[in-house]
Every structure is written in structure tokens, then in C-alpha cells.
Amino acid sequence: MCGIVGYVGRNADDRALEVVMEGLARLEYRGYDSAGVALVTDAGILSDKRAGKLENLRKALARQPLAPSRTAIGHTRWATHGGPTDENAHPHHGGEGDRLALIHNGIIENFHALKNELLADGVEFTSETDTEVAAKLVGREYDRTGDLTAAMRAVVNRLEGAFTLLAVHADSPGVVVGARRNSPLVVGVGDGEFFLGSDVAAFIGYTRNAVELGQDQIVTITPDGYAVTDFAGNPAAGRGYEVTWDASAAEKGGFATFMEKEIHDQPQAVADTLLGRFDEDGCLVLDEVRISEEDLRRITRITIVACGTAAYAGMVAKYAIEHWTRIPVEVALAHEFRYCDPIVDETTLVVSISQSGETMDTLMAVKHANELGALTLSICNTHGSTIPRESDAVLYTHAGPEIAVASTKAFLAQITASYILGLYLAQLRGETYADDAREVMAELRQIPAKIEDLLGRMDRVKEIAYFMADSRAVLFLGRHVGFPVALEGALKLKELAYIHAEGFAAGELKHGPIALIEPGQPVFIVVPAPDTPHELHKKVVSNIQEIRARGARTIVIAEDGDEDVVPFANEVIRVPQTAPLLAPLLAVVPLQVFALHLSTAKDLDVDQPRNLAKSVTVE
Ligand code: M6R
């Protein structure tokens, strides 16, 4: 959940601190409990670290600047072991005279045993973190060997859990050593300068040439190049690739917040995710696939594993994939999957959905599925991340970098990718025909323009949000694919505006939740299109009447032209018409905009809500 950056360069302008601070600013979404840097200088290691957001560190450095350097590491933290204090902020130090500095992302599970061992040797600690244990161990090994890479290797083999570690030593200027297990680390290749980052955003302002490291690898960067080994010291190679987006994609582009910008990126995110998916025979082109068509034809069930917003995308996928393929689809919260003794075998396709590709719960679910012999497919937004690498096949969403902690454009891209997967499987198995698939694809291609149109109509939603800034509880109702949309609307409001919000399947209301309705209770209702099968539209209109009769304030999201809802709505928010299964791509947009403005109205931090981090890399 933390963000880490490393840099070495031979440039005469000694810009290590500038590069690392810029990288931290781009990675701050990963955690913002504290931030710190360490520079290798002629005067030894110079370090500063501060609790709170990066801005606190920036101010401290402005008050007391550090000497110029060409070698640096930096860290932005989401606290796990030890509270968000200056002492617990990274870097941590080790070795004789504290001449080693180390930063860490992840959790070292056996740190208690290692710490006891060090305490018995008289080592003193200044923090409550697991990281400081690694710093002391690497420092001690360095004092023995004088070789930072060897020191790192000796220590990582003793650590259990998930970690990315970066270390520098005062006696090794021009060297940063990194190691990774179950936690991300990417190398950036510049001209006479090399970078390390939790993801490419760390160095995108300087280079688009990246190298993805494999599991259990160590990398050493110097101004002359980088060298990769495995944990045993055998030479290894990373996988080089070019980042397809540039620094501007990770900036606010004139919007007040990343979230607002990312909401406006959604037409492009959907369009890009659809791009180039089908060959001239109408067959889907997966980005990476190590599953034969024959195996895909043999699938008897699909299990989707994901967390949070990605799990709601999975719930939408269930309706579409089951409808098009007739394959039973189950959606499991990734953190529950392993513990429910899942029924999974070699005819099960386990589809993981993850924006970051690093969510530990989802990663562990994928690993468990692999162990059980399932076929695994990852729908992911982040090239080079761990989950796609652990999966047999990958379908990348092309939403571009999502910086705001609250997921928006990734959600739409995930749903879009799920539709593509469903259509592809249906076609492969002969359940649906090229003509049907083409029809859905044609409608999908209209979606970006419809989202654009919808974004132009959000003034009233903004007004409603400001009007509702004092709300204590908000309910969201939906049916069919509108149900996960309701859940997502509630999640957005909880995480952004800290308001109690619940999403319900509208049919469930009379089985209990209707007791919550009292005069003035605001309720959003996602109404299915009038032509949705099984008279669902009529049933939801009845649900609206039921709650309205009990005094609820009804805010209805309904298609253009749906007049049936008007008599029972305090507010009607119109969305463009589309096919019933594709409706979530539109219906969720007003709910995102509502949460964004309600958070703004309450003067909260839209991009970095309290207690959260973008990538949840701990279980
Ligand atoms: O990176 P992932 O898609 O795996 O992340 C999953 C969830 O942590 C994420 O969707 C989370 O729920 C968002 N903050 C919701 O806005």
C-alpha cells in the first residue's frame, strides 16, 4: 500500500531529490500517512521523514534543504505496523553509524522473531515497524560484506510475507538495490539514469521505458545500468515494455481533483478498452493468453474474484456472461474465496478483476485458484503488475492511470472488458452468433458518446449533492444490473463523503430494509429500461411508490423518455437509452458525480479519503 521510489543518475545537475519527490507525488495515492526520503551524499546519508501528507515533508525540506545528490530513495506510507508518526515513517536506518537507509512496502510476517534476535544482540530500535528490522539486518550484512546487493540477498531469504525493499548505503554512492516478493517493483530505464518505482507513475515524467521484475528478484541500479538476479543470486531478466501513456495522463488536466478528471476520462476509457479487440473473423484478441480455445470451450463454470468496486464490476459481469454464454458465474469477494473451500477444478475459469493488479486479497485468490488447477484470467488496468503475471490469460482494460483512491473509470473499463470476455466465450462455444455479438458491440461503441452526453447534464446532480451535504444516511436501490450499480453508488458515498450509505436489491426492500424509511430519507433508485425483460421496470416503479408512500425523498435515475417514474420521483436524473445489460455504464455516472460533489461540499479530500489507500497490498 506504500509507494516507493529509487533513483540513480550521472547527470551533473544532481537532481535525485527532485526526481524522488516528483515520484512520491505521483505515488501518494498508494498511501499518505507519512513520507520520507534518504539521499546518499558526500556527508553520508541525509534523510528527512514526516508524518502526514507529502506536503509536510515538502515544507520541512524547504525549511531545511538537504545537500544535492545523485542517489536517493523515497517513500510514502500507508501504516500497517506502528501508527502514522515521524518515528515510524520510512526510511529506517541500520548498520554501523546508521549508514544504511531502507524503505519497504508490504508486511514482514516473521518480524517479531527477527526483532527478538536483534534485540538479544543489543540492537536498538527507534520505531514500531517491521521495516526497521529489515533495515537493521541489511545494515549488519553490509557491514560484513561491503556489498549492498549481497547484503540484500542474505536478508530477503530470511523474510516471510510480502515486501518490496529498497536500500542505499553511504559507502556505495550511485547504487540503489531493490528486492521484491508479492509486492510490485518496476525499473525505469533512462539515459544515464535509472529509476525504481512501485509503478511506472513513479518515473513517467522521465522515461517510458520500463522493466517489470519477476517474483523473488533483486535488482541493482547504477548510472551505468541495471542488473537482476533471483534470490539465490542467479542472473535473471526482467520483461521490458514501453508505457503507452505519458505524464499528462497522470495529471489533473485542469480539473480540481483527479477524481473529477477521471470521471471525465470515462468515455475514452471505454473506447480504448474496446479498441482492436476483434480480428477480421470477429474473434476476440486477448492481450496475453496461455489458455487454448479448446480449454475455454470446456469450461463448466466461471468464478469471478475481486474486491470493492472491482467486485461490483464482477456482479455486472455475472448477469451479462450468464445471459450470453449460459455458463454459471459466481462472484466471490477475493478475501473470502480461499476460505470457503471453493469448488474449482480444471474446467473452472477463475476471472480476477483488479485495477491495480496488486490487491493482495485478489492475488492470493488467483494463486489459490492456480493451485486448484483452474484456468485463470485477469482483467487488469496495470501492465506489468503481479496479478496478470500470475494468471494464464490477461485482458487489459485501457483506462489509463487511475490516481484518485475512489475508482471510477476503472469500473467502467472493467465492465466493458467483462462484456468483451462474455461475448468472446459465447462466440467460441457457439452459444451466440457473430450477428448478436456484433449488435452488442455496435451498441457498446455508442457508449462513449452517451457518457459524454451524460457528463454534460450533471449540473442538477451537483446541486442535489450540495443540497444534501448534511445527510446522515442515504440508501441506493437497484435491480438486475442496477443492483451492483446501487452498491457502487453507496460505496462511493461512504468512502468519499463518510456518510452512512447502503445499497439494496430493490426486491429485498420489503424483506426488512423498508423499516429504515422515514419521512425525508433520501433514496436513489436505479430504474431499469422500460424494455427490460420480466417487467422489471414496472416492478421497480412499484418499489418507488412503496417507499414514497412512507415519506422517502426519491431521486430516480431513469432513461430518457421514461415517463412512468415521474409521478413518484422528487428528482429525476436522466440517462441516455441503451441495451438493458449495458445500462450500468451510464447509470453509475450520476452516482459518481453525486459523491464527488457531496465530498467537495463537505470540504473533504476527494482524491485521498481518510484511512484508505489506492492499492491494498496487505491481506
Ligand atoms: O486495484 P483493485 O481494483 O484490485 O482494487 C480493489 C478495491 O480495493 C477498490 O476497487 C476499492 O474498493 C476502491 N477504493 C473503490 O473506490
Side-chain angles (χ1 to χ4, degrees):
M1 326 261 289
C2 306
I4 58 179
V5 192
Y7 173 82
V8 287
R10 71 162 77 93
N11 290 348
D13 54 1
D14 292 348
R15 59 177 179 169
L17 180 61
E18 172 196 321
V19 172
V20 164
M21 287 299 284
E22 187 179 322
L24 291 182
R26 291 192 201 281
L27 294 184
E28 205 183 5
Y29 70 90
R30 297 178 66 91
Y32 32 85
D33 287 334
S34 64
V37 291
L39 314 182
V40 183
T41 72
D42 296 342
I45 297 280
L46 297 181
S47 176
D48 201 342
K49 53 187 195 169
R50 303 285 161 164
K53 295 203 170 175
L54 185 61
E55 193 51 29
N56 292 356
L57 175 66
R58 205 188 299 282
K59 283 181 186 153
L61 289 171
R63 280 195 303 273
Q64 203 158 357
L66 300 177
S69 169
R70 298 173 189 181
T71 309
I73 54 176
H75 187 267
T76 176
R77 179 169 187 246
W78 187 82
T80 54
H81 292 73
T85 61
D86 285 354
E87 292 73 30
N88 290 332
H90 303 204
H92 291 281
H93 297 267
E96 209 181 314
D98 276 347
R99 291 171 70 75
L100 174 123
L102 179 142
I103 56 178
H104 167 220
N105 172 31
I107 288 183
I108 299 167
E109 284 169 0
N110 58 336
F111 93 100
H112 278 298
L114 296 168
K115 188 168 182 175
N116 287 338
E117 179 189 310
L118 289 163
L119 287 169
D121 287 350
V123 176
E124 289 177 11
F125 288 84
T126 56
S127 79
E128 304 153 283
T129 64
D130 50 347
T131 307
E132 196 177 4
V133 172
K136 301 296 186 214
L137 288 171
V138 180
R140 198 164 69 170
E141 284 298 327
Y142 184 92
D143 291 343
R144 255 203 282 272
T145 60
D147 179 336
L148 195 52
T149 309
M152 182 68 89
R153 186 162 59 242
V155 173
V156 289
N157 281 303
R158 302 193 59 199
L159 305 182
E160 290 165 17
F163 51 84
T164 301
L165 301 171
L166 295 194
V168 290
H169 197 283
D171 298 338
S172 293
V175 179
V176 181
V177 176
R180 73 166 290 258
R181 165 177 289 167
N182 292 332
S183 179
L185 182 60
V186 194
V187 184
V189 179
D191 182 12
E193 53 184 359
F194 290 82
F195 309 79
L196 295 171
S198 300
D199 68 47
V200 294
F203 48 74
I204 193 68
Y206 300 92
T207 181
R208 287 161 72 170
N209 295 324
V211 178
E212 164 194 331
L213 291 182
Q215 181 70 304
D216 287 3
Q217 289 188 340
I218 295 177
V219 61
T220 304
I221 57 168
T222 68
D224 300 320
Y226 69 93
V228 184
T229 68
D230 62 19
F231 279 7
N234 303 308
R239 191 182 67 83
Y241 63 100
E242 193 180 331
V243 183
T244 51
W245 47 272
D246 61 17
S248 65
E251 281 160 12
K252 288 183 192 158
F255 290 95
T257 60
F258 278 112
M259 186 187 174
E260 190 174 4
K261 182 224 172 211
E262 287 159 9
I263 287 173
H264 284 82
D265 282 346
Q266 294 187 119
Q268 199 62 49
V270 172
D272 288 350
T273 301
L274 288 171
L275 218 61
R277 286 302 181 188
F278 288 83
D279 64 17
E280 61 248 16
D281 301 327
C283 285
L284 175 77
V285 186
L286 289 172
D287 297 279
E288 288 169 27
V289 55
R290 293 172 289 277
I291 309 178
S292 68
E293 290 195 357
E294 198 186 319
D295 281 341
L296 286 173
R297 275 194 202 98
R298 278 210 308 263
I299 292 168
T300 56
R301 65 167 71 214
I302 294 174
T303 301
I304 296 176
V305 290
C307 303
T309 291
Y312 299 150
M315 288 174 70
V316 175
K318 173 184 163 71
Y319 289 95
I321 297 176
E322 283 187 339
H323 179 73
W324 289 326
T325 67
R326 311 311 299 150
I327 305 171
V329 180
E330 184 195 353
V331 185
L333 289 171
H335 36 88
E336 290 296 319
F337 175 71
R338 271 195 297 168
Y339 309 108
C340 63
D341 200 5
I343 301 168
V344 163
D345 61 21
E346 58 287 348
T347 65
T348 311
L349 179 67
V350 172
V351 177
S352 61
I353 305 182
S354 174
Q355 188 286 130
S356 61
E358 299 294 346
T359 299
M360 186 57 77
D361 292 316
T362 309
L363 173 62
M364 289 305 165
V366 171
K367 285 188 170 182
H368 189 58
N370 282 332
E371 281 160 19
L372 295 174
L375 305 165
T376 49
L377 185 146
S378 154
I379 292 178
C380 184
N381 196 42
T382 310
H383 279 258
S385 56
T386 310
I387 294 172
R389 215 178 18 239
E390 292 287 329
S391 305
D392 298 317
V394 186
L395 180 52
Y396 280 111
T397 50
H398 296 291
E402 191 178 66
I403 309 290
V405 166
S407 191
T408 53
K409 62 177 177 174
F411 180 61
L412 265 63
Q414 287 160 352
I415 294 174
T416 306
S418 309
Y419 291 151
I420 294 169
L421 176 65
L423 290 174
Y424 169 66
L425 290 174
Q427 207 171 289
L428 198 68
R429 298 159 60 94
E431 297 286 355
T432 195
Y433 300 99
D435 280 356
D436 299 337
R438 258 193 288 277
E439 214 172 282
V440 182
M441 281 302 287
E443 182 52 30
L444 266 174
R445 288 199 188 91
Q446 304 297 316
I447 294 284
K450 292 184 180 181
I451 301 172
E452 203 73 71
D453 166 22
L454 182 56
L455 286 169
R457 321 176 182 183
M458 289 294 102
D459 289 352
R460 183 63 191 148
V461 175
K462 182 174 175 180
E463 281 169 13
I464 298 170
Y466 274 79
F467 175 74
M468 285 177 59
D470 294 330
S471 304
R472 305 222 15 227
V474 182
L475 304 181
F476 294 78
L477 305 180
R479 265 187 118 134
H480 189 242
V481 287
F483 172 37
V485 172
L487 293 172
E488 173 63 1
L491 176 61
K492 288 284 91 80
L493 201 58
K494 282 183 239 195
E495 66 180 333
L496 286 164
Y498 318 152
I499 289 178
H500 184 75
E502 289 298 330
F504 296 107
E508 187 66 9
L509 210 62
K510 53 192 171 300
H511 300 286
I514 200 162
L516 292 169
I517 304 295
E518 56 187 12
Q521 169 64 53
V523 185
F524 280 81
I525 306 102
V526 181
V527 179
D531 60 345
T532 307
H534 312 300
E535 301 201 315
L536 262 192
H537 174 264
K538 219 160 102 187
K539 290 174 186 164
V540 173
V541 173
S542 301
N543 295 145
I544 304 174
Q545 291 178 56
E546 287 154 15
I547 54 171
R548 182 63 191 266
R550 289 162 175 82
R553 185 162 178 270
T554 55
I555 305 147
V556 172
I557 298 174
E559 274 197 350
D560 287 336
D562 178 354
E563 295 307 318
D564 298 345
V565 296
V566 174
F568 317 109
N570 291 90
E571 298 279 350
V572 183
I573 299 166
R574 294 288 179 190
V575 294
Q577 296 177 349
T578 188
L581 277 170
L582 309 190
L585 293 172
L586 298 166
V588 78
V589 174
L591 301 183
Q592 298 168 336
V593 173
F594 173 71
L596 162 81
H597 288 298
L598 210 146
S599 171
T600 311
K602 291 178 78 173
D603 206 17
L604 298 173
D605 190 333
V606 169
D607 287 333
Q608 296 178 344
R610 71 184 179 200
N611 305 337
L612 292 169
K614 183 71 178 162
S615 291
V616 184
T617 55
V618 292
E619 279 190 90

